[in-house]
Amino acid sequence: MFDLGLLDFALLAALSGGAVYLFMYLGARRDLRRLKQSQHNETRFRDLTSLSADWFWETDADYRTTWISGGSTVAVFFGDTPTYGKRIWELPGIEVAPRALEALRERLEAQQPFFDLEIGRTDKRGARQIHIISGQSRLGAGGAFLGYRGVGRDITEQRHAEEALSQAKERLELALGGGNLAEWDYDLVSHEVYLGAGWAAFLGREHAVSMTRDTDLLELVHREDRPAVVASMTGALKGKNNATHTADYRVQTESGGWRWLRAAGQVTKRDANGRVLRMSGTVADIDDQRRAEEGLRETEQRYRLLVELAPDGVIVHCHGIIEYANPAAARLFGATSPKGLVGLDLEEFAHPDERERIRERLRHLEAGPGWLGFEQRHMTTLDGREIVVDGAGVSFLERGRLIVQSVFRDVTDQARSREALAEREQRFRDVAEASGEFVWECDRQWRFTYLSERVEAVLGFTRAEILGRRPQDFMPLGEERTVEAWLSTHAAGGSAFRDLEHRSVTKSGAAIWLSVSAVPIRDAAGAAAGYRGTAADVTARKQAEARIEFLATRDVLTGLPNRMLMGDRVGQAILAAARGRSQLALLCIDLDRFKLVNDSLGHPAGDALLRAVAERLGNTLRREDTLARLGGDEFVLLWNGLKSNEDAAALAQRVHSILTRPFTVEGRSLSVGATIGIAIYPGDGRDFAELLRNADAAMYDAKESGRGTFRFFSPQLHERSAERLRLENELRGALARSELILNWHPVLKGHAVRGSGEVVGAEALVRWRHPERGLLMPEEFVPLAEESGLIRAVGEWTLERALSQIGAWQTRLPGEPWFALNVSAPELAQGDAYFERLRSALRENRVDGSRIELEVTERVLMSHLAGNFETLRRIGGLGVRFAVDDFGTGYSSLAYLRLLPVDKLKIDRSFLRAIDSQPADEAIVRAIAALAKTLGLSIAGEGVENAAQLERLLALGCEEWQGHYFSAPLSATDFEAVLTSGAGLRGTRKSS
C-alpha cells in the first residue's frame, strides 16, 4: 500500500513537471514569436523611416540626445557632427532663432510638448537645409521624467517653394503696379476678398488692407454703380459670358473723391457639385480715361446742341451733295425744313458769277482733309432771293469717306452786328485775360460741369482732371468749413454771391487764393440747378495785404513787434495787471558800441548783428512776454507777472549776460553789451507812453554812468530828461541866434622858446556862448547834436564861418598858415553834396584848397568806407589835405592808411599825457611815428601841456604839435595878434 502510494506520488510529480515544462515551452515559443514580430516591425519601421523625410529622436532628462534614427535625411543634415550626448540646438552649425529657443526652453522646463521648432544648418558646400522638430516628454513607470521623444522633418524644399512663390507674387505685384493694375481674389465661402498692394494707390491710402469683407468693399463703390457691379458678378456666378465678370465703377478715395476702376475676373474654383467657391481677377485704374470720355461726350453734346441752335447755317455734304442741314441753313436758303435741302447739289445755290470760285474751294476741300476760312460769297435761295454770306468749310474722314462741313452766315443785315460783336468779344477776352479770371459752372452737388481754358493756368490741373469734382476737393484742410459758413451767411437759399475768397491747392502743391463770384442756374421749372460764375487768382493781393499787415505791426529787419504792436500788448498787459493787482516791467535796451560796428563794418554787418541780438533775446522769453524793436539799436522788453524790483534787476542782469557773449557776424567775433533802463507798472507809469518814456530816461541815465549797466526809473530823472530836452531846443535856436563861435588853436612846428614858436597853422574849434551857462565846450553839446541830428547844421555853420574868416586873413596874416576843420560822419556821408558845398565855399571866399586840412577820426573814416574813399578822393582834387584825428583810439588799419588819401596822423592826447613817465605810452608814440614815416605821412601831437612832453614828442620824430603849453584856443582877434606880434614865428606849411 505504501509502495502504491509512492508510485502514485512519483507519477503525479512527473505529470506536474511535464505540465510545467509544457507551460514554459509554450510561453517561450510565444515570447519568441513576439520577439520576431517586434524585430520585423522594427525592420519595417526603419525601412519606412529611411524612405521618408521624417526622422526620430530621444533625449535624456537633461535633453541630451540618446537616439536618432532617420537614415540619409539625418546623415545629410547633421553630416559628420557627433550628436549623441549633446543637445540638438547646441550642436555646431545648428541655427535656431533666439526667440524660438527662448520659448523652447520655457516649455522644456515645464515638461510640456513643443511643435515645429525650426532649426537650420549650412553645409560645407554653402547649401542651407531647414528642418522642424516636435517633441513629447517621456515619463517612467512611477511618473519620473525621463526626457523627450520626438520627430523631425526636412522642410528645405517647402521653404524654397515658399520663397519662390513669394518672389513670384512680388514680381506679379510689380508687373501689376507697372501696368496700373491690382489683383483680387474672392472667397465666396468666407465672403472675404483679398486685395493686392495696388489697391492702396487706387484708394489714395498709404497702405490698403489685404483682406476685407465683400460687403465692405461694395460700400466703397459709388451708389449709382453698385447695381451694375452686382449684376456682372451674379452673371459670372451663373456661368454667363463664359463665367467672366467685367464692370466699370467708381470707388471712393481716402480724400473723399471718386476714382473710376475697371474690374475683370472669372471663376477659378468650384466644388464637386459645380458650386462656385472662388473668383479671381484684376482691377485697372481707368479714371483718366473715363473722365476724358465724359468730357468728350459733354463736348460732343454741347457741339450738337450748338449746331442745332446755331444762328449760322451748317451743311454737311459729300461730293457736293447735301446730307445734313441744320434749321438755320433751311431758313437761310428758303427751305421749309432741313430735309428740304438734303439731296440737293450745293453748287445750285452759288451765284453764277461766283460758281467757279465755289468749285475751286470745294476741290480744295475734297482733295484731302483740310479747311478754308471764312470768305464772303453771293448765293441764291430756293425762292430766288440773293443773299450775301460768309462761308467757311472743313473736310475730314468719316468711316472711310471724305466729308465736308460748311458754315454759312447771312451778313447782309448782320455786318454791323458782327463788327460790334467782335469788338465786344475782344474786349471780354482782354478784360478776362488782364484780370486772370476763369469761367466755371457746377451742378447742384457743386461738381464742376464746365471750365474755361484759363483754369489750367491758374490751378495747374487740366480741365479733364477737374471736371466732375467739387471745388472743396481742391481746398486745404479746414477751408471747406470756412467756405460753408461764409455761404450760409452771404448766399443763403442759393442766391447769387460775390467776392468769396478762399484758398485752393494747385497741382504743384502750392496754396493760392481765389476770389469767386456766381449767379444761380435755374432749370425750366425755376428750381436751382447749380451755379455759374467767375474766379480770379488774388494770391498777390492777399500776400500784399498780409505783408502790409505785417509791416504795420512788425519790424522789417528783425520780424519783432514794432512800436504800434508793442503798445497794444502793453495796453493789454496793463489791463490784466490792474485786474490782478500785479506788476509788470518795461525794459528799454540800448546796445553799446553798436554805432562803432555800423560805422566800421558797414550797415549790412550792423543789420546782421541786430538780427542776431533779436534771435538771442527772443529765445529767452516766456510765452507771455514780448520783445520789440523800436528802431536803431533800441529794443524794448515787456515782462509780465513781476513780483518785485529784485526780479526786474535779475532780468536786466540776465539780459546783460546774454548780450555780453560774443556774436559771430560775417566771420567776425563782435562784443556789444547793453545799457538798460527799467520802468515798473504801476509806480512808474499808467500807460505805455509813460512807461516807455520813463524807461528811456532811466536808460540814458545808465548811459551817462558808463554804459554796460542798468538803472531803475526815479522821479529825479524827469528833471534831467527835461533839462536835456531843453538844451537840445536851445541848441536849435543857437544857430539862428548866432550863439556859436569859433576859436582857433595854434599848431606849431619844432621847439617853443620863451613862449614863442613857429606857428604853421591852427585848428578851428566851435564853442557855444550860452546866454545862461556861459561858454560851453564841444564835449558838452556836440554829442547832443549828433544824437538829435543837428550835427550837420553845426558842421555847415562851422565850414561857412571858418572859410569866411580864412578868406579875410589871406590879406592880413603874414605867411601862408594852413587851417584845420573837423568833419563828422553825417557830413562825410553826404558825399557829392558835401563836396559841392566845400568847393563852393572855397570859391566864394577865394581860399586855395592847399590852405585847408580836414581832420577825420578813424571811426568816421571806417563808416561807409567805399563811399568815403570816393568823397575824399574828389575833395583831394581841390588841393585839400587830410589828417586822421585821435589816431590810435579806433580801428587802426594799415589797409585804409594805404588806400585812403591821408596826409597826416594826429596822435591822441591820451598817449601824450604821461609820455615822459610811462614807457608804454612812449612806445606807442614811437610805433606811430615809425608807421607814419614808413607810409610817407607827417605826424602831429595834440594836448602838449609841458616842456617835458614836448621834448619827448620831438625826440620821437613828431614834427607838429598843439596844446596849452603854448596857447589855449584863441578868438580870431587874439589868434591874429599872435601871428602879427613877436609871440609867434610865421612859417609856411610844406608839402609832404
Side-chain angles (χ1 to χ4, degrees), residues 756-785:
S756 298
E758 182 183 359
V759 177
V760 294
E763 180 181 2
L765 301 172
V766 65
R767 302 287 189 265
W768 183 7
R769 186 182 289 110
H770 195 279
E772 298 176 0
R773 303 185 182 187
L775 192 64
L776 299 182
M777 297 295 105
E779 58 270 16
E780 297 180 79
F781 65 90
V782 169
L784 180 62

Side-chain angles (χ1 to χ4, degrees), residues 745-746 763 765 767 778-779 822 855 884-889 906-916 921 924-925 928 940-945 949 953 961-965 967-969:
H745 202 186
E763 180 181 2
L765 301 172
R767 302 287 189 265
E779 58 270 16
N822 289 282
E855 294 187 3
V884 180
D885 199 11
D886 300 334
F887 186 77
T889 61
K906 290 190 69 174
I907 303 173
D908 187 69
R909 64 179 68 248
S910 61
F911 300 126
L912 303 184
R913 194 170 294 124
I915 192 175
D916 56 337
D921 288 348
I924 291 174
V925 174
I928 295 174
E942 57 181 346
V944 178
E945 304 295 334
Q949 293 175 349
L953 186 64
W961 57 278
Q962 64 188 89
H964 285 71
Y965 176 59
S967 171

Side-chain angles (χ1 to χ4, degrees), residues 69-344:
S69 174
S72 60
T73 301
V74 174
V76 171
F77 184 66
F78 292 104
D80 55 0
T81 302
T83 58
Y84 292 96
K86 297 182 180 180
R87 297 178 178 89
I88 291 179
W89 57 87
E90 293 179 352
L91 292 174
I94 297 300
E95 302 170 359
V96 183
R99 290 187 178 179
L101 183 58
E102 182 180 351
L104 172 66
R105 286 172 173 160
E106 291 178 357
R107 300 191 70 84
L108 293 179
E109 291 178 1
Q111 298 180 8
Q112 295 178 347
F114 64 90
F115 303 95
D116 297 335
L117 173 67
E118 186 172 300
I119 60 178
R121 183 174 182 272
T122 303
D123 60 20
K124 296 179 180 179
R125 298 171 301 167
R128 179 173 173 80
Q129 299 183 60
I130 303 173
H131 286 222
I132 57 173
I133 60 174
S134 302
Q136 174 72 44
S137 60
R138 295 189 299 117
L139 301 179
F145 176 66
L146 301 179
Y148 270 83
R149 175 185 294 120
V151 298
R153 185 159 57 92
D154 184 356
I155 62 169
T156 305
E157 294 301 326
Q158 178 183 340
R159 284 288 185 268
H160 289 168
E162 291 173 353
E163 291 178 2
L165 179 61
S166 176
Q167 292 175 358
K169 180 181 178 182
E170 183 179 355
R171 287 194 296 269
L172 174 60
E173 290 182 348
L174 289 174
L176 292 174
N180 208 14
L181 300 171
E183 72 275 24
W184 56 269
D185 185 76
Y186 181 18
D187 187 339
L188 277 81
V189 178
S190 64
H191 296 281
E192 289 187 339
V193 183
Y194 164 76
L195 304 176
W199 277 86
F202 295 161
L203 300 180
R205 303 172 181 171
E206 287 191 23
H207 304 286
V209 293
S210 59
M211 299 296 294
T212 186
R213 300 285 296 176
D214 50 8
T215 54
D216 295 337
L217 183 60
L218 190 60
E219 283 296 320
L220 294 176
V221 178
H222 196 285
R223 188 179 302 275
E224 298 175 358
D225 301 333
R226 290 177 193 171
V229 173
V230 173
S232 176
M233 184 67 73
T234 304
L237 296 178
K238 292 181 178 180
K240 297 180 180 179
N241 299 323
N242 295 323
T244 60
H245 157 64
T246 303
D248 291 354
Y249 56 89
R250 289 162 289 179
V251 293
Q252 190 169 27
T253 64
E254 191 72 11
S255 63
W258 296 95
R259 182 181 296 275
W260 276 100
L261 302 178
R262 173 170 293 162
Q266 63 183 6
V267 175
T268 56
K269 185 176 182 182
R270 299 179 184 270
D271 61 11
N273 298 323
R275 179 188 174 191
V276 177
L277 301 179
R278 185 178 300 275
M279 291 185 67
S280 302
T282 61
V283 63
D285 182 0
I286 60 169
D287 191 68
D288 291 342
Q289 174 187 339
R290 285 301 297 261
R291 295 189 185 279
E293 291 173 356
E294 290 176 4
L296 180 59
R297 282 196 300 270
E298 291 177 0
T299 302
E300 290 177 350
Q301 292 173 0
R302 187 179 295 112
Y303 171 75
R304 181 173 294 276
L305 180 61
L306 289 175
V307 169
E308 290 293 324
L309 299 178
D312 297 333
V314 178
I315 291 178
V316 177
H317 50 97
C318 180
H319 300 297
I321 305 302
I322 299 174
E323 297 181 352
Y324 167 82
N326 70 344
R331 292 192 300 270
L332 179 64
F333 291 104
T336 56
S337 69
K339 292 182 179 179
L341 296 178
V342 175
L344 300 179

